[in-house]
Amino acid sequence: RLQAEALGIPLLTLDALACLVPGGGGGGCCVDVAIDGADSVEPPAKGSGAKAVLVKGGGGALLREKMVEANAATFVCIVDASKVCPGKLGPHFMVPIEVTPFAHKHTALALSKLPSVAASGGEAVLRRGSVSNNNEEPGAPLAVTDNGNHIVDLRFRTPLADPSLTAAEIAGVVGVVEHGLFVGMADVVLVANSDGTIDTLTHN
């Protein structure tokens, strides 16, 4: 914020724009373009018409990021080639989930028992230490998000067979605030390669 203000870049919140559109997307979006990164990108199958599936939340801000991007007319994701993981979504990077402090251990256990999570060998680990540090810090206090919640990281042994199903199952757990699976949200994914070229992933 301070850097933007120093450069004379005006800042507004979603509340200031008064356009919290139920469900996000479609007409009435208050943000023209949202630009953000991702921790994992599952490219869409060619000719499927689907959008890439993203995993976000390694830095602990998944709820606020999803709120902005759900209210954007166009969401552009920019990553380097190491984040693209065809057929490896899940093991490539854990799936962060923001949960309420109340009964957070119970919520973590419920998440680990979800059918699609268990089928991929998912383990629910409460994040500790800095919320933006997605490495395990045994013995450190539980990480706390900007919203005062905790983060459960789902670590998978095998790829998710159906990310949309997993996202729906996670969202149905009482105590979950939001999850880091961004399904059907990214309109364009720009991938920076080590040779300086850029690949563009779009739904087609």
Side-chain angles (χ1 to χ4, degrees), residues 66 116 162-172 179 181-183:
K66 188 174 280 190
S116 67
D162 185 345
S164 296
L165 174 61
T166 302
E169 288 182 353
I170 292 171
H179 58 77
L181 285 167
F182 285 50
V183 181

Side-chain angles (χ1 to χ4, degrees), residues 85-112:
C85 59
K88 297 180 180 178
L89 197 73
H92 180 264
F93 193 90
M94 68 248 182
V95 176
I97 303 168
E98 188 160 348
V99 302
T100 60
F102 178 76
H104 56 273
K105 293 181 180 178
H106 179 272
T107 303
L109 180 62
L111 288 167
S112 68

Side-chain angles (χ1 to χ4, degrees), residues 73-200:
T74 302
F75 171 27
V76 179
C77 178
I78 302 177
V79 297
D80 64 64
S82 70
K83 304 297 178 67
V84 181
C85 59
K88 297 180 180 178
L89 197 73
H92 180 264
F93 193 90
M94 68 248 182
V95 176
I97 303 168
E98 188 160 348
V99 302
T100 60
F102 178 76
H104 56 273
K105 293 181 180 178
H106 179 272
T107 303
L109 180 62
L111 288 167
S112 68
K113 292 184 175 181
L114 291 172
S116 67
V117 172
S120 292
E123 178 189 9
V125 179
L126 282 158
R127 189 177 298 185
R128 295 182 176 275
S130 170
V131 72
S132 61
N133 180 8
N134 47 67
N135 296 315
E136 291 189 53
E137 294 185 36
L142 290 176
V144 179
T145 70
D146 291 335
N147 311 298
N149 298 312
H150 297 316
I151 296 284
V152 173
D153 292 316
L154 286 180
R155 301 173 184 272
F156 294 94
R157 289 197 294 270
T158 60
L160 297 175
D162 185 345
S164 296
L165 174 61
T166 302
E169 288 182 353
I170 292 171
V173 175
V174 177
V176 167
V177 179
E178 191 51 84
H179 58 77
L181 285 167
F182 285 50
V183 181
M185 294 183 65
D187 298 291
V188 179
V189 178
L190 300 178
V191 182
N193 299 307
S194 58
D195 61 2
T197 61
I198 296 176
D199 293 330
T200 302

